[in-house]
Amino acid sequence: MITSTIKTNLILKEIGVTRYSLRPEPNQLVDKEVNFYQKGNILTLLDVPYNDISQDQKNLLGAIINAIKPIGEIEIMKTIKINKYEDISRHIDQFLAVSGIIIFYKNNFNIKTFLPTITSPNLNEILTNPSLKKPLWEDIKTKFIF
């Protein structure tokens, strides 16, 4: 006996429509965007593009970078799609005269570099919870300001 489900599948097969398809494994869906912002010799990795952050977040980022006293007038904004497991060091090497990296991002990145690197909560979290500034400033003092 042919059920309605079998009949539907046969009709769909005849017209070239597959009813079910296998989903790719989750580890194959690995592309993510990394948003870079460089001012002077300080490179930051942001969770959203620089142009999409609020003015308060831009002011906070500016204050953090200016406290380190960046050398040079370079200002670069760039977004790169990467594989989840990819070492992003080769992308960092494309930026000129970088002497330190600050990551304002929740995800851990695979970075192999000799440059001083600080991992911090994202800018919005710092604005919402000002107590997160203290550990960030302490890291900046020890790693960037000698």
Side-chain angles (χ1 to χ4, degrees):
M1 175 174 204
I2 296 178
T3 64
S4 62
T5 304
I6 293 172
K7 197 182 245 185
T8 303
N9 286 336
L10 287 171
I11 294 169
L12 289 173
K13 185 178 179 183
E14 287 298 318
I15 61 173
V17 176
T18 55
R19 192 157 178 198
Y20 301 104
S21 62
L22 294 175
R23 292 182 182 169
E25 290 185 30
N27 65 353
Q28 291 176 346
L29 304 172
V30 293
D31 286 339
K32 64 179 174 179
E33 290 185 346
V34 181
N35 302 291
F36 295 94
Y37 174 70
Q38 180 181 4
K39 183 166 183 183
N41 59 337
I42 305 301
L43 180 65
T44 59
L45 280 67
L46 305 170
D47 56 343
V48 294
Y50 179 78
N51 291 332
D52 293 348
I53 63 177
S54 69
Q55 190 59 46
D56 289 340
Q57 293 173 351
K58 286 180 183 179
N59 292 342
L60 175 62
L61 182 60
I64 292 167
I65 292 173
N66 288 332
I68 302 169
K69 297 185 174 106
I71 300 167
E73 297 298 319
I74 300 170
E75 187 170 25
I76 299 172
M77 292 161 260
K78 193 176 199 178
T79 299
I80 300 173
K81 281 195 176 212
I82 65 163
N83 176 299
K84 184 165 98 174
Y85 303 105
E86 181 179 351
D87 178 13
I88 64 171
S89 302
R90 67 182 182 89
H91 297 290
I92 291 171
D93 293 339
Q94 295 174 0
F95 292 89
L96 302 173
V98 174
S99 65
I101 302 168
I102 305 175
I103 303 170
F104 294 101
Y105 213 96
K106 284 186 178 185
N107 293 339
N108 292 333
F109 287 104
N110 186 12
I111 301 177
K112 296 176 183 148
T113 182
F114 63 91
L115 296 170
T117 304
I118 295 173
T119 302
S120 170
N122 67 31
L123 295 169
N124 191 39
E125 290 177 23
I126 295 172
L127 285 172
T128 321
N129 184 0
S131 66
L132 296 173
K133 289 180 186 178
K134 185 176 180 178
L136 175 60
W137 290 118
E138 289 172 358
D139 281 347
I140 288 172
K141 285 180 191 175
T142 58
K143 293 185 179 180
F144 292 128
I145 304 171
F146 303 107

